[in-house]
Amino acid sequence: MEMQVSCRIKSTGTSGRLSCEPQMLGGFQVRTGLMLLKAVDGNSDYGVSPRQQLPVAVDYSGLARIQHPRRRNEWLAGRLCLSRAISLGWSEVATKGVIVAEELGNTQGGRPRFIVESKDRVYLSVSHSDGFAGGLVSECRCGLDIEPISYGALRAVKAVFEDAELELLGKTFGEPLNCWRGTAMWTLYEALSKAVGAPVLGRRLRIVAASKDPSADGRRQIRIATPSQFEAKHRVPAGFESETTIYNNVAVSVVTTVDQEGLEIGKELNQ
C-alpha cells in the first residue's frame, strides 16, 4: 500500500510559536493537534521533576529504568510537554486522565498513551535528543522526531535509503545533500515511522515518488510504500501532513494524519 505525504520545510524559526507557554521554546499548531518543545541539559531539570504537579497526571514508573541524569531529564521534559499540550488543547479531560509509562507492550512503537476511564483519549508522540524534548498530542495518529543537525544523521540517511530514494527526496528537500538537509530528511522519516508504526530499519517505509514543484502553500508531495508484513488488522491512514522546521541547529518534524479513518493494510495487500 502507498500513502501520500504533504511536506513543508522551513529553514528557521518555529511555526505558530506559543506565547502562552513561557517555559517552552515554541510549538506547532498542527491540523489535528499541538506540539510543544522544551530545552533540557544534563545538569538541570529546568523545573521538571517527579515531584512537580503537572496539569495532567503522569505515571512515573517508566523513569525507574533510566539511570543517566540527562536521559532522565529528557524523559521528564517530554512528559511535561505532553501534559501541557493536553491541558491547552483538551482541557475538558485533562484532569480526568493519566499519561501512562512508555512501555513497549502498550502500543506499537512503544509510544506513551493518555488514558481516560480506561480508554485512549488522544494520540501521543514524544521525542528527545541532545538538549531538546518535545511532546505531540493529536486527535489522529501522529509522530514527532527531534534531531540535532549532525553528520551522524546524514550518515544514517545515506546508510538506510537507497540511491533512488535519495534522488526522490532531493526533489523535496533540495540539493546538495548536506548535514541540515540530511537531518531534516531523517527526522521526517522517523516521525513518519512512528505515526505508521513501522520499523526504522529492515522492512521499513520506502520512498517511491516525489514532486519537484511546491503547491501554492509551499508544500511538496512524496509517496511512501508501507511494509508488507503488517497484520491485516493494522490500520494505516492513506495520507499524512508534515511540518519540518530547523530551529536553533535542531531539526523538528511533526507528522499527523490527514484522514481519521485510515485503511486496512491487509485488505489492500491481499487484493
Side-chain angles (χ1 to χ4, degrees), residues 3-271:
M3 303 175 296
Q4 186 91 352
V5 184
S6 173
C7 309
R8 182 163 58 192
I9 301 98
K10 297 184 177 182
S11 59
T12 58
T14 56
S15 176
R17 187 181 175 93
L18 301 173
S19 58
C20 57
E21 280 296 310
Q23 293 191 55
M24 303 298 168
L25 293 176
F28 296 90
Q29 186 74 49
V30 295
R31 178 190 292 268
T32 56
L34 179 65
M35 189 282 290
L36 295 178
L37 181 67
K38 181 174 177 61
V40 192
D41 72 18
N43 301 313
S44 170
D45 60 16
Y46 280 73
V48 188
S49 75
R51 298 179 298 278
Q52 182 179 355
Q53 186 68 36
L54 298 180
V56 178
V58 172
D59 175 7
Y60 289 104
S61 60
L63 189 61
R65 67 176 186 270
I66 305 174
Q67 301 301 318
H68 195 284
R70 189 188 69 187
R71 293 298 182 189
R72 289 174 64 88
N73 288 340
E74 290 173 347
W75 192 97
L76 288 165
R79 270 52 189 184
L80 172 62
C81 290
L82 290 175
S83 179
R84 293 195 181 279
I86 292 171
S87 68
L88 285 172
W90 294 267
S91 57
E92 73 282 2
V93 295
T95 60
K96 301 177 182 178
V98 59
I99 300 172
V100 301
E102 186 174 351
E103 301 291 348
L104 291 178
N106 281 345
T107 55
Q108 197 162 23
R111 64 177 65 92
R113 299 161 61 194
F114 177 54
I115 304 298
V116 178
E117 297 178 351
S118 302
K119 296 181 180 179
D120 289 274
R121 174 60 182 84
V122 288
Y123 292 91
L124 308 181
S125 185
V126 66
S127 182
H128 34 72
S129 181
D130 284 2
F132 292 90
L136 172 63
V137 184
S138 174
E139 292 286 349
C140 300
R141 296 182 66 163
C142 61
L144 168 67
D145 192 58
I146 303 169
E147 295 286 345
I149 305 299
S150 69
Y151 283 104
L154 178 59
R155 286 194 294 268
V157 164
K158 292 181 176 179
V160 171
F161 292 119
E162 298 174 356
D163 289 344
E165 292 178 287
L166 289 174
E167 183 178 348
L168 290 169
L169 285 171
K171 294 181 180 180
T172 300
F173 288 87
E175 299 286 357
L177 179 57
N178 53 24
C179 278
W180 83 263
R181 288 192 178 99
T183 306
M185 288 179 187
W186 187 254
T187 59
L188 173 60
Y189 169 65
E190 285 255 29
L192 274 169
S193 298
K194 290 180 180 181
V196 174
V200 174
L201 301 175
R203 295 184 177 180
R204 58 176 179 83
L205 300 177
R206 303 279 171 173
I207 314 298
V208 295
S211 64
K212 183 177 181 179
D213 298 322
S215 60
D217 63 351
R219 292 189 174 277
R220 289 175 170 85
Q221 308 296 320
I222 62 175
R223 293 195 69 81
I224 304 291
T226 57
S228 60
Q229 82 276 18
F230 281 12
E231 299 178 5
K233 66 179 180 180
H234 188 64
R235 296 172 67 87
V236 171
F240 290 90
E241 186 173 273
S242 73
E243 184 96 15
T244 300
T245 295
I246 308 299
Y247 177 82
N248 198 22
N249 210 35
V250 172
V252 181
S253 280
V254 175
V255 171
T256 55
T257 61
V258 174
D259 60 326
Q260 291 266 13
E261 295 299 325
L263 299 173
E264 282 192 354
I265 283 186
K267 183 180 295 184
E268 293 281 330
L269 294 176
N270 294 329
Q271 289 179 348

